[in-house]
Amino acid sequence: MEVKLHDIGEGMTEANINHFLVKVGDIVKADQPLVEVQTDKMTAEIPAPFSGVIKEFTVSEGETIPVGSTVLLMEKESRDTSRRTVSQTTQVLKKKRILASPYTRKIARENGVNIEEVVGSGAGGRIVDEDVLLYMKGDIGASPKLEEETVPAVQPKPAETVPNTIPFRGRRKQIASKMAHSLRTIPHCTHFEEIDVTNLLVWKDTMKRGGQSVSMGAFFIKALSVCLKEFPIFNARLKEEEECIELQSHHNIGVAVDTDDGLIVPVIKGVEGMTMVEIQTEMKALTVKAQEGKLTMKEIKGGTFTVSNVGPLNGSIGATPIINEPEVALIAFHKTKKRPMVNEHDDIVVRSMMNVSMSFDHRVVDGGTAVTFTNRLRDLIEEPQSMLLELI
């Protein structure tokens, strides 16, 4: 019987085959993971639909296939199959999972490196390109025992044979497809604003001295929730065929996370009912899971508004972010920089200034409303004590 790639959420059309978790001839149990696949949003596993024996793989690792394609063939469990040793099944279940991108696996294959022998330096033990290259040189990236036995036999290929192309498939290709569709469909308009975060930095330091650490990101998300309550049009979805704009009842804020395999947006659900500490705790947990490729479909679905906090990357003063369809808007917080500013007394003072850029769907929202929205957000950030009135 055929085991096919099915849609694991949010209308995916294709996925990349990361690696098989079993081999031909293995006995597997129902719901046992068979193959790891990569979509534009997450890494997922395809489970066995029944107990049986793996007969044949119909696709290869690193291959991108559309939904509905046959991944492998299985034979249902029979009496003869069930009499095989339990130890073989146990061995399969305990097979080591390797976290590595398809491109990293390709480098290993082309240079004769057994990727299972490489020790990853990335988040959650993920193997990155540099780990494979260092392993080939015999420097680091393998346990002492394996390094002693295998490194002398592995020689790096001449410089001219090193791959000089990057595969355009898997998550990268699907991200590209989604972004292109968003730009083709939504008339983007981006509004820019600068915000004085000097008082917020003082408030943050005061909280820290009092034993309570709250990140700027958590404060921004809570302030956004206050604004979304006052301007629900930004927490909506346009349904053109039904000729209506559907206002969402909860503030489910997507937080863009940069990972080794590309951008992914886990969602903090129900921000309107959370404290800043709760927001920060959830945000940190989801970020770690995103970087380790452990997010579930539930954790990346249902977003109503997206935040991109690029300030910590220290390399951006402005951008025109692309809306995460079917949402109405996305806001990006850029790096904070001390600048001379003129105050209300015409004195030149040094203030910590941050730029923000908000892209919005001009079919749903007018420019004036977007300006009013960001002005309200600016007021909350510039006078953090005003948030207390909103939380009573």
Side-chain angles (χ1 to χ4, degrees), residues 152-196:
V154 179
Q155 298 296 330
K157 290 188 177 182
E160 63 269 19
T161 63
V162 175
N164 58 5
T165 62
I166 300 174
F168 186 61
R169 59 185 182 226
R171 180 179 292 178
R172 181 75 271 152
K173 183 177 179 181
Q174 294 185 44
I175 289 175
S177 176
K178 186 171 184 179
M179 294 300 98
H181 185 267
S182 178
L183 280 175
R184 287 195 303 267
T185 305
I186 300 175
H188 282 60
C189 184
T190 303
H191 170 63
F192 297 88
E193 182 60 88
E194 63 176 6
I195 299 177
D196 187 342

Side-chain angles (χ1 to χ4, degrees), residues 215-232:
S215 69
M216 299 274 280
F219 187 95
F220 294 157
I221 290 174
K222 190 61 181 179
L224 273 170
S225 182
V226 172
C227 295
L228 291 175
K229 183 178 180 180
E230 298 176 12
F231 298 86

